[in-house]
Amino acid sequence: MLALGAAHGDSVVLAAEGEGAETALEELAVLLGRDHDTGDED
């Protein structure tokens, strides 16, 4: 996320194709949806 320069609250567009793409995108969406500045993992 740092390499993207994306901050909490920013919008990003994710795309993937191939086997497991839908699952990977869902997991990335959860990861990107977290506020990593709080230190909370939940």
Side-chain angles (χ1 to χ4, degrees):
M1 288 172 291
L2 291 174
L4 290 173
H8 183 69
D10 287 351
S11 295
V12 296
V13 176
L14 305 173
E17 55 186 62
E19 187 175 335
E22 185 173 338
T23 300
L25 288 175
E26 289 170 0
E27 291 178 14
L28 281 170
V30 169
L31 179 67
L32 291 172
R34 292 184 185 146
D35 183 354
H36 295 275
D37 292 332
T38 65
D40 294 337
E41 293 296 319
D42 296 315

